[in-house]
């Protein structure tokens, strides 16, 4: 593959990383509102669990994107 391909891939992955971080932030705010407005303790607990699960999912995606960026950087170095 060419250097330009890896450079473009890195740029695209960085954009994906920012989108994922924004999505994590929005989901956290969304679940915080649900938790605050929940009336019963069981629904609060359910929302808290959902919030934790969703945040963990976003974290896994973020780490995956970071690994792909590092891989693309290594591939770019090998091209030179």
């Amino acid at each position: 593959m060419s250097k330009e391909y890896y450079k473009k891939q890195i740029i695209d992955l960085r954009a994906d990383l920012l989108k994922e971080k924004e999505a994590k932030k929005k989901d956290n705010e969304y679940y915080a509102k649900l938790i605050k407005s929940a009336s019963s303790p069981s629904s609060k607990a359910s929302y808290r669990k959902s919030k934790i699960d969703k945040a963990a999912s976003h974290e896994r995606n973020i780490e995956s994107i970071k690994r792909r960026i590092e891989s693309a950087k290594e591939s770019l170095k090998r091209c030179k």
Side-chain angles (χ1 to χ4, degrees):
M1 306 261 177
S2 68
K3 291 182 203 178
E4 290 76 28
Y5 170 79
Y6 290 117
K7 288 179 183 178
K8 183 183 180 325
Q9 186 180 26
I10 291 169
I11 291 169
D12 291 344
L13 287 170
R14 286 182 179 154
D16 290 346
L17 185 64
L18 289 175
K19 286 178 190 173
E20 191 66 32
K21 286 181 178 181
E22 283 298 313
K24 179 182 176 186
K25 191 183 299 184
K26 285 181 183 178
D27 281 345
N28 276 340
E29 290 170 1
Y30 171 74
Y31 282 110
K33 287 178 187 174
L34 286 177
I35 291 167
K36 193 172 186 177
S37 65
S39 56
S40 70
S42 62
S43 62
K44 276 191 179 193
S46 174
Y47 290 142
R48 282 193 181 106
K49 184 181 179 327
S50 296
K51 181 180 177 183
I52 291 168
D53 292 344
K54 196 70 168 170
S57 172
H58 284 299
E59 265 314 306
R60 284 191 301 274
N61 290 341
I62 289 169
E63 290 304 315
S64 172
I65 293 169
K66 285 180 180 179
R67 283 192 301 275
R68 290 170 50 202
I69 289 172
E70 289 305 313
S71 175
K73 284 180 180 178
E74 290 298 318
S75 299
L76 181 62
K77 285 180 186 176
R78 284 194 298 269
C79 279
K80 292 183 178 179

Coordinates of all heavy atoms in Angstrom, one line a residue:
M1 N 0.8 -1.2 0.0 CA 0.0 0.0 0.0 C 0.9 1.2 0.0 O 2.0 1.2 0.4 CB -0.9 0.0 1.2 CG -1.7 -1.2 1.4 SD -3.4 -0.9 0.8 CE -4.1 -2.5 1.1
S2 N 0.3 2.3 -0.4 CA 1.1 3.6 -0.5 C 1.1 4.4 0.8 O 0.2 4.2 1.6 CB 0.5 4.4 -1.7 OG -0.7 4.9 -1.3
K3 N 2.0 5.3 0.9 CA 2.1 6.2 2.0 C 0.8 7.0 2.2 O 0.3 7.2 3.3 CB 3.3 7.1 1.9 CG 4.6 6.5 2.0 CD 5.7 7.6 1.9 CE 7.0 7.0 1.4 NZ 8.0 8.1 1.3
E4 N 0.3 7.4 1.0 CA -0.9 8.3 1.1 C -2.1 7.5 1.6 O -2.9 8.1 2.4 CB -1.3 8.8 -0.4 CG -0.3 9.8 -0.9 CD 1.0 9.2 -1.4 OE1 1.0 8.0 -1.8 OE2 2.0 9.9 -1.3
Y5 N -2.2 6.2 1.3 CA -3.3 5.4 1.9 C -3.2 5.4 3.4 O -4.2 5.5 4.1 CB -3.1 4.0 1.3 CG -4.1 3.0 2.0 CD1 -5.4 2.9 1.7 CD2 -3.6 2.1 3.0 CE1 -6.3 2.0 2.3 CE2 -4.4 1.2 3.6 CZ -5.8 1.2 3.3 OH -6.6 0.4 3.9
Y6 N -2.0 5.1 3.9 CA -1.9 5.1 5.4 C -2.1 6.4 6.1 O -2.7 6.5 7.1 CB -0.5 4.5 5.8 CG -0.4 3.0 5.5 CD1 0.5 2.6 4.5 CD2 -1.2 2.1 6.1 CE1 0.6 1.2 4.2 CE2 -1.1 0.7 5.8 CZ -0.2 0.3 4.8 OH -0.1 -1.0 4.5
K7 N -1.7 7.5 5.4 CA -1.9 8.8 6.0 C -3.4 9.1 6.0 O -3.9 9.6 7.0 CB -1.2 9.9 5.1 CG 0.3 9.9 5.3 CD 1.0 10.9 4.4 CE 2.5 10.8 4.6 NZ 3.2 11.8 3.7
K8 N -4.1 8.8 4.9 CA -5.5 9.0 4.9 C -6.2 8.1 5.9 O -7.2 8.6 6.6 CB -6.1 8.7 3.5 CG -7.6 9.0 3.4 CD -8.1 8.6 2.0 CE -9.6 8.8 1.9 NZ -10.5 8.6 3.0
Q9 N -5.8 6.9 6.1 CA -6.4 6.0 7.1 C -6.2 6.5 8.5 O -7.1 6.5 9.3 CB -5.7 4.6 6.9 CG -6.4 3.6 7.8 CD -5.7 2.2 7.7 OE1 -4.6 2.1 7.4 NE2 -6.5 1.2 8.0
I10 N -5.0 7.1 8.8 CA -4.8 7.6 10.1 C -5.7 8.8 10.4 O -6.3 8.9 11.4 CB -3.3 8.0 10.2 CG1 -2.4 6.8 10.3 CG2 -3.1 8.9 11.5 CD1 -0.9 7.0 10.2
I11 N -5.9 9.7 9.4 CA -6.7 10.8 9.5 C -8.2 10.4 9.7 O -8.9 10.9 10.6 CB -6.7 11.7 8.2 CG1 -5.3 12.4 8.2 CG2 -7.8 12.8 8.2 CD1 -5.0 13.1 6.9
D12 N -8.6 9.4 9.0 CA -10.0 8.9 9.1 C -10.2 8.2 10.5 O -11.2 8.4 11.1 CB -10.3 7.8 8.0 CG -10.4 8.5 6.6 OD1 -10.6 9.7 6.6 OD2 -10.4 7.7 5.6
L13 N -9.2 7.5 11.0 CA -9.3 6.8 12.3 C -9.3 7.9 13.4 O -10.1 7.7 14.4 CB -8.1 5.9 12.5 CG -8.2 4.6 11.7 CD1 -6.9 3.8 11.7 CD2 -9.4 3.7 12.1
R14 N -8.6 8.9 13.2 CA -8.6 10.0 14.3 C -10.0 10.6 14.3 O -10.5 11.0 15.4 CB -7.5 11.0 14.0 CG -6.1 10.5 14.4 CD -5.1 11.6 14.1 NE -3.8 11.0 14.5 CZ -2.6 11.5 14.0 NH1 -2.6 12.4 13.1 NH2 -1.5 11.0 14.4
A15 N -10.6 10.8 13.1 CA -12.0 11.4 13.1 C -12.9 10.4 13.8 O -13.8 10.8 14.5 CB -12.4 11.6 11.7
D16 N -12.8 9.1 13.5 CA -13.6 8.1 14.1 C -13.4 8.1 15.7 O -14.4 8.0 16.4 CB -13.3 6.7 13.6 CG -13.7 6.5 12.2 OD1 -14.5 7.3 11.7 OD2 -13.3 5.5 11.6
L17 N -12.2 8.3 16.1 CA -11.9 8.4 17.5 C -12.7 9.6 18.2 O -13.3 9.4 19.2 CB -10.4 8.5 17.7 CG -9.9 8.5 19.2 CD1 -10.2 7.2 19.8 CD2 -8.4 8.8 19.2
L18 N -12.6 10.7 17.5 CA -13.3 11.9 18.1 C -14.8 11.6 18.1 O -15.5 12.0 19.1 CB -13.0 13.1 17.2 CG -11.6 13.7 17.4 CD1 -11.4 14.9 16.4 CD2 -11.4 14.1 18.8
K19 N -15.4 11.0 17.1 CA -16.8 10.7 17.0 C -17.2 9.8 18.2 O -18.2 9.9 18.8 CB -17.2 10.1 15.7 CG -17.2 11.1 14.6 CD -17.6 10.3 13.3 CE -17.4 11.2 12.1 NZ -17.5 10.5 10.8
E20 N -16.4 8.8 18.4 CA -16.6 7.8 19.5 C -16.6 8.5 20.8 O -17.4 8.2 21.7 CB -15.7 6.6 19.4 CG -16.0 5.5 20.3 CD -17.3 4.8 19.8 OE1 -17.6 4.7 18.6 OE2 -18.0 4.3 20.7
K21 N -15.6 9.4 21.0 CA -15.6 10.1 22.3 C -16.8 11.0 22.5 O -17.3 11.0 23.6 CB -14.3 10.9 22.4 CG -13.0 10.1 22.6 CD -11.8 10.9 22.7 CE -10.6 10.1 22.9 NZ -9.3 10.9 23.1
E22 N -17.2 11.6 21.5 CA -18.4 12.4 21.6 C -19.7 11.6 21.9 O -20.5 11.9 22.7 CB -18.7 13.2 20.3 CG -17.8 14.4 20.1 CD -18.0 15.4 21.2 OE1 -19.1 15.8 21.5 OE2 -17.0 15.9 21.8
A23 N -19.8 10.4 21.2 CA -20.9 9.5 21.4 C -20.9 9.0 22.9 O -22.0 8.9 23.5 CB -20.8 8.3 20.5
K24 N -19.7 8.8 23.4 CA -19.6 8.3 24.8 C -20.1 9.4 25.8 O -20.9 9.2 26.7 CB -18.2 8.0 25.2 CG -18.0 7.5 26.6 CD -16.5 7.2 26.9 CE -16.3 6.9 28.4 NZ -14.9 6.7 28.7
K25 N -19.7 10.7 25.5 CA -20.1 11.8 26.3 C -21.6 12.0 26.2 O -22.3 12.2 27.3 CB -19.4 13.1 25.8 CG -19.5 14.2 26.7 CD -18.9 15.5 26.2 CE -17.4 15.3 25.9 NZ -16.8 16.5 25.5
K26 N -22.2 11.9 25.0 CA -23.7 12.1 24.9 C -24.4 11.0 25.6 O -25.4 11.2 26.3 CB -24.0 12.1 23.4 CG -23.7 13.4 22.7 CD -24.1 13.4 21.3 CE -23.7 14.7 20.6 NZ -24.0 14.6 19.2
D27 N -23.9 9.7 25.5 CA -24.6 8.6 26.2 C -24.5 8.8 27.7 O -25.5 8.5 28.4 CB -24.0 7.3 25.8 CG -24.5 6.8 24.4 OD1 -25.5 7.4 23.9 OD2 -23.9 5.9 23.8
N28 N -23.4 9.2 28.2 CA -23.3 9.4 29.6 C -24.3 10.5 30.1 O -24.9 10.3 31.2 CB -21.8 9.8 30.0 CG -20.9 8.6 30.2 OD1 -21.4 7.5 30.4 ND2 -19.6 8.9 30.1
E29 N -24.4 11.6 29.4 CA -25.3 12.6 29.7 C -26.8 12.1 29.7 O -27.6 12.4 30.6 CB -25.2 13.8 28.8 CG -23.9 14.6 29.0 CD -23.7 15.6 27.9 OE1 -24.5 15.8 27.0 OE2 -22.6 16.3 28.0
Y30 N -27.1 11.3 28.7 CA -28.4 10.8 28.5 C -28.8 9.9 29.7 O -29.8 10.0 30.3 CB -28.5 10.0 27.2 CG -29.7 9.2 27.0 CD1 -30.9 9.8 26.7 CD2 -29.7 7.8 27.1 CE1 -32.1 9.0 26.5 CE2 -30.8 7.0 26.9 CZ -32.0 7.6 26.6 OH -33.2 6.9 26.5
Y31 N -27.9 8.9 30.0 CA -28.1 8.0 31.1 C -28.2 8.8 32.5 O -28.9 8.4 33.4 CB -27.2 6.9 31.1 CG -27.5 5.8 30.1 CD1 -26.7 5.6 29.0 CD2 -28.6 5.0 30.2 CE1 -27.0 4.7 28.0 CE2 -29.0 4.1 29.3 CZ -28.1 3.9 28.2 OH -28.5 3.0 27.2
A32 N -27.4 9.8 32.6 CA -27.4 10.6 33.9 C -28.8 11.2 34.0 O -29.3 11.3 35.2 CB -26.3 11.6 33.8
K33 N -29.3 11.7 32.9 CA -30.7 12.3 33.0 C -31.7 11.3 33.4 O -32.6 11.5 34.2 CB -31.0 13.0 31.7 CG -30.3 14.3 31.4 CD -30.7 14.9 30.1 CE -29.8 16.1 29.8 NZ -30.1 16.6 28.4
L34 N -31.6 10.1 32.8 CA -32.5 9.0 33.1 C -32.4 8.6 34.5 O -33.5 8.4 35.2 CB -32.3 7.8 32.2 CG -32.7 7.9 30.7 CD1 -32.3 6.6 30.0 CD2 -34.2 8.1 30.6
I35 N -31.2 8.5 35.0 CA -31.0 8.1 36.4 C -31.6 9.2 37.4 O -32.3 8.8 38.3 CB -29.5 7.9 36.7 CG1 -29.0 6.6 36.0 CG2 -29.3 7.7 38.2 CD1 -27.5 6.5 35.9
K36 N -31.4 10.4 37.1 CA -31.9 11.5 37.9 C -33.4 11.6 37.9 O -34.0 11.9 39.0 CB -31.3 12.8 37.4 CG -31.5 14.0 38.4 CD -30.7 15.2 37.9 CE -30.7 16.3 38.9 NZ -30.0 17.4 38.5
S37 N -34.0 11.3 36.8 CA -35.5 11.4 36.7 C -36.2 10.1 37.1 O -37.4 10.1 37.1 CB -35.9 11.9 35.4 OG -35.6 10.9 34.4
A38 N -35.5 9.0 37.3 CA -36.1 7.7 37.6 C -36.8 7.8 38.9 O -36.4 8.4 39.9 CB -35.1 6.6 37.6
S39 N -38.0 7.1 39.0 CA -38.8 7.2 40.2 C -38.5 6.1 41.2 O -38.6 6.2 42.4 CB -40.3 7.3 39.8 OG -40.6 6.2 39.1
S40 N -38.3 4.9 40.6 CA -38.1 3.7 41.5 C -36.6 3.4 41.6 O -35.8 3.6 40.7 CB -38.9 2.6 41.0 OG -38.3 2.1 39.8
P41 N -36.2 2.8 42.8 CA -34.8 2.4 42.9 C -34.4 1.3 41.9 O -33.3 1.3 41.5 CB -34.8 1.8 44.4 CG -36.0 2.4 45.1 CD -37.0 2.7 44.0
S42 N -35.3 0.4 41.5 CA -35.0 -0.6 40.6 C -34.7 0.0 39.2 O -33.8 -0.5 38.5 CB -36.1 -1.7 40.5 OG -37.3 -1.1 40.0
S43 N -35.5 1.0 38.8 CA -35.2 1.6 37.5 C -33.9 2.4 37.5 O -33.2 2.4 36.5 CB -36.4 2.4 37.0 OG -36.6 3.5 37.9
K44 N -33.6 3.0 38.6 CA -32.3 3.7 38.8 C -31.2 2.7 38.6 O -30.2 3.0 37.9 CB -32.2 4.4 40.1 CG -32.9 5.8 40.2 CD -32.5 6.5 41.4 CE -33.2 7.9 41.4 NZ -32.7 8.8 42.4
A45 N -31.3 1.6 39.3 CA -30.2 0.6 39.2 C -30.1 0.1 37.8 O -29.0 -0.1 37.3 CB -30.6 -0.6 40.2
S46 N -31.2 -0.1 37.1 CA -31.2 -0.6 35.8 C -30.5 0.4 34.8 O -29.7 0.0 34.0 CB -32.6 -0.9 35.3 OG -32.6 -1.2 33.9
Y47 N -30.8 1.7 35.0 CA -30.2 2.7 34.2 C -28.7 2.8 34.5 O -27.9 3.1 33.6 CB -30.9 4.1 34.4 CG -32.3 4.2 33.9 CD1 -33.3 4.9 34.6 CD2 -32.6 3.6 32.7 CE1 -34.6 5.0 34.1 CE2 -33.9 3.7 32.1 CZ -34.8 4.4 32.8 OH -36.1 4.5 32.3
R48 N -28.3 2.7 35.8 CA -26.9 2.7 36.1 C -26.1 1.6 35.5 O -25.1 1.8 34.9 CB -26.7 2.7 37.6 CG -27.0 3.9 38.4 CD -26.5 3.9 39.8 NE -26.9 5.2 40.4 CZ -27.8 5.3 41.3 NH1 -28.6 4.3 41.7 NH2 -28.1 6.5 41.9
K49 N -26.7 0.4 35.5 CA -26.1 -0.7 34.8 C -26.0 -0.5 33.3 O -24.9 -0.7 32.7 CB -26.9 -2.0 35.1 CG -26.2 -3.2 34.5 CD -27.0 -4.5 34.8 CE -26.4 -5.7 34.2 NZ -25.7 -5.6 33.0
S50 N -27.0 0.0 32.7 CA -27.0 0.3 31.3 C -25.9 1.4 31.0 O -25.2 1.3 30.0 CB -28.3 0.9 30.8 OG -29.3 -0.1 30.9
K51 N -25.8 2.4 31.8 CA -24.8 3.4 31.6 C -23.4 2.9 31.7 O -22.5 3.2 30.9 CB -25.0 4.5 32.7 CG -24.0 5.7 32.6 CD -24.2 6.7 33.7 CE -23.2 7.8 33.6 NZ -23.3 8.8 34.7
I52 N -23.1 2.0 32.7 CA -21.8 1.4 32.8 C -21.5 0.5 31.6 O -20.4 0.5 31.1 CB -21.8 0.6 34.1 CG1 -21.8 1.5 35.3 CG2 -20.5 -0.3 34.2 CD1 -22.0 0.8 36.7
D53 N -22.5 -0.3 31.2 CA -22.3 -1.2 30.0 C -22.0 -0.4 28.8 O -21.1 -0.7 28.0 CB -23.5 -2.1 29.8 CG -23.7 -3.1 30.9 OD1 -22.8 -3.4 31.7 OD2 -24.8 -3.7 31.0
K54 N -22.8 0.7 28.6 CA -22.6 1.5 27.4 C -21.2 2.2 27.4 O -20.5 2.3 26.4 CB -23.7 2.5 27.3 CG -23.9 3.2 25.9 CD -24.4 2.2 24.9 CE -24.8 2.9 23.7 NZ -25.1 2.0 22.6
A55 N -20.8 2.7 28.5 CA -19.5 3.4 28.7 C -18.4 2.4 28.4 O -17.4 2.7 27.7 CB -19.4 4.0 30.0
A56 N -18.5 1.1 28.9 CA -17.5 0.1 28.6 C -17.4 -0.2 27.1 O -16.3 -0.4 26.6 CB -17.8 -1.1 29.4
S57 N -18.6 -0.3 26.5 CA -18.6 -0.5 25.1 C -17.9 0.6 24.3 O -17.1 0.3 23.4 CB -20.0 -0.6 24.6 OG -20.1 -0.7 23.2
H58 N -18.1 1.8 24.7 CA -17.5 2.9 24.0 C -15.9 2.9 24.3 O -15.2 3.1 23.4 CB -18.0 4.3 24.5 CG -19.3 4.7 23.9 ND1 -19.5 4.9 22.6 CD2 -20.5 4.9 24.5 CE1 -20.8 5.2 22.4 NE2 -21.4 5.2 23.6
E59 N -15.6 2.5 25.5 CA -14.1 2.4 25.8 C -13.5 1.3 25.0 O -12.3 1.5 24.5 CB -13.9 2.1 27.3 CG -13.7 3.2 28.2 CD -12.7 4.3 27.7 OE1 -11.5 3.9 27.4 OE2 -13.1 5.4 27.7
R60 N -14.1 0.2 24.8 CA -13.6 -0.9 23.9 C -13.4 -0.4 22.5 O -12.4 -0.6 21.9 CB -14.5 -2.1 24.0 CG -14.3 -2.9 25.2 CD -15.0 -4.3 25.1 NE -16.4 -4.2 24.8 CZ -17.4 -4.0 25.7 NH1 -17.1 -4.0 27.0 NH2 -18.7 -3.9 25.3
N61 N -14.4 0.4 22.0 CA -14.3 0.9 20.7 C -13.1 1.9 20.5 O -12.4 1.9 19.6 CB -15.6 1.6 20.2 CG -16.7 0.6 20.0 OD1 -16.4 -0.6 19.8 ND2 -17.9 1.0 20.0
I62 N -13.0 2.8 21.6 CA -11.9 3.8 21.6 C -10.6 3.1 21.6 O -9.7 3.4 20.8 CB -12.1 4.7 22.8 CG1 -13.3 5.6 22.6 CG2 -10.8 5.5 23.0 CD1 -13.7 6.4 23.8
E63 N -10.4 2.1 22.4 CA -9.1 1.3 22.4 C -8.8 0.6 21.1 O -7.7 0.6 20.7 CB -9.1 0.3 23.6 CG -9.1 1.0 25.0 CD -7.9 1.9 25.1 OE1 -6.7 1.6 24.7 OE2 -8.1 3.0 25.6
S64 N -9.8 0.1 20.5 CA -9.7 -0.6 19.2 C -9.2 0.4 18.2 O -8.3 0.1 17.4 CB -11.0 -1.2 18.8 OG -10.9 -1.7 17.5
I65 N -9.8 1.6 18.1 CA -9.4 2.6 17.2 C -8.0 3.0 17.4 O -7.2 3.2 16.5 CB -10.4 3.8 17.2 CG1 -11.8 3.4 16.7 CG2 -9.9 5.0 16.4 CD1 -12.9 4.4 17.0
K66 N -7.6 3.2 18.7 CA -6.2 3.6 19.0 C -5.3 2.5 18.5 O -4.2 2.9 18.0 CB -6.1 3.8 20.5 CG -6.7 5.1 21.0 CD -6.5 5.2 22.5 CE -7.1 6.4 23.1 NZ -6.9 6.6 24.6
R67 N -5.6 1.3 18.7 CA -4.7 0.2 18.2 C -4.6 0.2 16.7 O -3.5 0.0 16.1 CB -5.2 -1.2 18.6 CG -4.9 -1.5 20.1 CD -5.2 -3.0 20.4 NE -6.6 -3.4 20.1 CZ -7.6 -3.2 21.0 NH1 -7.4 -2.7 22.2 NH2 -8.8 -3.7 20.6
R68 N -5.7 0.5 16.0 CA -5.7 0.6 14.5 C -4.9 1.8 14.1 O -4.2 1.7 13.1 CB -7.1 0.7 14.0 CG -7.8 -0.7 14.2 CD -9.3 -0.6 13.9 NE -9.7 0.0 12.6 CZ -10.8 0.6 12.3 NH1 -11.8 0.5 13.2 NH2 -11.1 1.1 11.2
I69 N -4.9 2.9 14.8 CA -4.1 4.1 14.5 C -2.6 3.7 14.6 O -1.8 4.0 13.7 CB -4.4 5.3 15.4 CG1 -5.8 5.8 15.0 CG2 -3.3 6.4 15.2 CD1 -6.3 6.9 15.9
E70 N -2.2 3.0 15.7 CA -0.8 2.6 15.9 C -0.4 1.7 14.8 O 0.7 1.8 14.3 CB -0.7 2.0 17.3 CG -0.8 3.0 18.4 CD 0.2 4.2 18.3 OE1 1.4 3.9 18.0 OE2 -0.2 5.3 18.4
S71 N -1.2 0.7 14.4 CA -0.9 -0.2 13.4 C -0.7 0.5 12.1 O 0.3 0.2 11.3 CB -2.1 -1.2 13.2 OG -1.8 -2.1 12.2
A72 N -1.5 1.5 11.8 CA -1.4 2.2 10.5 C -0.1 3.1 10.5 O 0.6 3.2 9.5 CB -2.6 3.2 10.3
K73 N 0.3 3.6 11.7 CA 1.5 4.3 11.8 C 2.7 3.4 11.6 O 3.7 3.8 10.9 CB 1.6 5.0 13.2 CG 0.8 6.2 13.4 CD 1.0 6.7 14.8 CE 0.1 8.0 15.1 NZ 0.3 8.5 16.5
E74 N 2.7 2.2 12.1 CA 3.8 1.3 11.9 C 3.9 0.9 10.5 O 5.0 0.8 9.9 CB 3.5 0.0 12.8 CG 3.7 0.2 14.3 CD 5.1 0.7 14.6 OE1 6.1 0.1 14.1 OE2 5.2 1.6 15.4
S75 N 2.7 0.7 9.8 CA 2.7 0.3 8.4 C 3.3 1.5 7.6 O 4.0 1.2 6.6 CB 1.3 0.0 7.9 OG 0.8 -1.1 8.6
L76 N 3.0 2.7 8.0 CA 3.5 3.9 7.3 C 5.0 3.9 7.4 O 5.7 4.2 6.4 CB 2.8 5.1 7.8 CG 3.2 6.5 7.2 CD1 2.9 6.5 5.7 CD2 2.6 7.6 7.9
K77 N 5.5 3.6 8.6 CA 7.0 3.6 8.8 C 7.6 2.6 7.9 O 8.7 2.8 7.4 CB 7.3 3.4 10.2 CG 7.1 4.5 11.2 CD 7.4 4.2 12.6 CE 7.0 5.3 13.6 NZ 7.3 4.9 14.9
R78 N 7.0 1.4 7.7 CA 7.6 0.4 6.9 C 7.6 0.7 5.4 O 8.4 0.3 4.7 CB 6.8 -0.9 7.1 CG 7.1 -1.6 8.4 CD 6.6 -3.1 8.4 NE 5.2 -3.2 8.3 CZ 4.3 -3.2 9.3 NH1 4.7 -3.1 10.5 NH2 3.0 -3.3 9.0
C79 N 6.7 1.6 5.0 CA 6.6 2.0 3.6 C 7.8 2.9 3.3 O 8.2 3.0 2.1 CB 5.3 2.8 3.3 SG 3.9 1.7 3.1
K80 N 8.3 3.6 4.2 CA 9.4 4.6 3.9 C 10.7 4.0 3.6 O 11.1 3.1 3.5 CB 9.5 5.6 5.1 CG 8.3 6.5 5.3 CD 8.5 7.5 6.4 CE 7.3 8.4 6.5 NZ 7.4 9.4 7.5

